[in-house]
Amino acid sequence: ETTTTQETVLKVDGLTSVEAGVCGVSFELRAGEILGVAGLVGAGRSELARTLFGLHPHDCGQVSVRSTGGHLRRVRISDPATAIAVGIGYVPEDRRRHGVIPELSVTYNTSLAVLPRLARAALVDNTAESTVALSFAQRLRLKARELYRPVATLSGGNQQKVALARWLAINPCVL
């Protein structure tokens, strides 16, 4: 048994979503931990993640997320915008269908989740957008000669890196 002094970043108590088939899930996640959710196909692993991200409504249970002040705060995540606002990112398992927009460039795909932060008067600051994309391309060792290439032209592994970069860009407390 290992003891940790890291702060709890996510606490889930009795989370249930009838629509998603998630029933009474409880766990606690501490900073720096990786939580693996195992089960057979159809057991609800993906549905749990989608519920925590607000893609499925939850009917009962409580979700608490570490606030910027460092305290756990109970939240009601009713949609992805709320999840993002409280610091939860979601990298879907099917990158081609839900993780990237293949026709758009690496830059656009990387910046999608942070567009509100990059916009002024409803116009996106292209320099800031390029800076974000370049930063994550370097950090994730993305093998793309040009950040303005469509994601569809990249290998599957590099497409996955772009999907991950999008959510790392929001600086999530939970991914």
Side-chain angles (χ1 to χ4, degrees), residues 10-173:
L10 177 66
K11 185 175 181 181
V12 176
D13 289 314
L15 186 67
T16 297
S17 170
V18 173
E19 176 183 300
V22 173
C23 184
V25 175
S26 298
F27 63 88
E28 210 170 293
L29 180 67
R30 296 184 183 278
E33 285 184 334
I34 297 172
L35 173 67
V37 179
L40 298 173
V41 173
R45 294 168 293 127
S46 300
E47 291 77 4
L48 171 61
R50 292 173 58 81
T51 301
L52 285 170
F53 193 63
L55 293 169
H56 292 299
H58 72 271
D59 303 303
C60 64
Q62 296 177 355
V63 176
S64 300
V65 179
R66 183 176 70 187
S67 67
T68 53
H71 301 351
L72 278 181
R73 177 175 62 112
R74 190 182 308 170
V75 294
R76 176 87 180 158
I77 301 171
S78 55
D79 55 45
T82 304
I84 293 167
V86 300
I88 297 175
Y90 172 65
V91 181
E93 62 187 330
D94 186 341
R95 75 170 173 276
R96 287 193 180 115
R97 286 184 47 204
H98 305 293
V100 295
I101 301 173
E103 301 79 25
L104 293 183
S105 71
V106 170
T107 298
Y108 293 149
N109 269 279
T110 301
S111 66
L112 280 173
V114 293
L115 281 178
R117 192 177 76 201
L118 303 175
R120 290 183 180 81
L123 297 175
V124 175
D125 179 340
N126 291 347
T127 303
E129 186 178 41
S130 294
T131 300
V132 167
L134 180 60
S135 168
F136 284 100
Q138 290 171 341
R139 287 173 59 190
L140 298 174
R141 297 185 185 134
L142 182 64
K143 294 178 182 163
R145 288 187 210 116
E146 192 175 326
L147 294 176
Y148 289 96
R149 289 178 61 188
V151 171
T153 66
L154 304 178
S155 69
N158 282 319
Q159 288 179 18
Q160 190 66 38
K161 289 177 183 180
V162 173
L164 180 60
R166 173 186 303 164
W167 296 108
L168 290 174
I170 70 166
N171 195 26
C173 67

